[in-house]
Amino acid sequence: MADGNQRTRQGSASSAQDLVVDGGPRCTIAMTADGIWHVMAQLVAEEQAALAAAAPSPEALCQRAQHALGLAGIGSRIERGRNAIGVYAAPLRSPSGEATLLLDGREVLWWVSQASSEAIGALIAAATEAMRSAPDC
């Protein structure tokens, strides 16, 4: 990931795994110590420039991405105070009902807000598969 996209997550529990989605950006998924999986993306230069030029507010970006997720038939919740959306799907819920998958960061939210329902579904399917196949889960 580009330097501006990298984050140090307190209590990191797993190293990032690549997610492969045809036509999508380079995405990674990693689980933190609290059991939450974070999907992040690195946009190609043209898409990064489009995001910079559009300069959507965090709230608008989350709303657009959440709308696209809804059109794809995927339940979600905006994580207030963060550039993240929690994804709700039956195999992705914790016993408390909280989302265990977050689309985390401006780059992945920008891509989701621009992507087709099929591409969004493919990303969530790839993330779900990575979660299920991870050791110790």
Side-chain angles (χ1 to χ4, degrees), residues 17-19 29 37 124-135 137:
Q17 303 172 47
D18 288 331
L19 293 178
I29 185 170
W37 291 85
I124 300 305
T128 302
E129 181 57 33
M131 293 166 70
R132 287 184 178 143
S133 64
C137 291

Side-chain angles (χ1 to χ4, degrees), residues 55-65 78-85 106 109:
S57 70
E59 295 81 16
L61 188 55
C62 284
Q63 289 168 355
R64 291 175 194 159
I78 295 172
E79 298 291 323
R80 299 285 177 216
R82 303 176 65 175
N83 281 320
I85 294 181
R106 294 178 56 80
L109 297 176

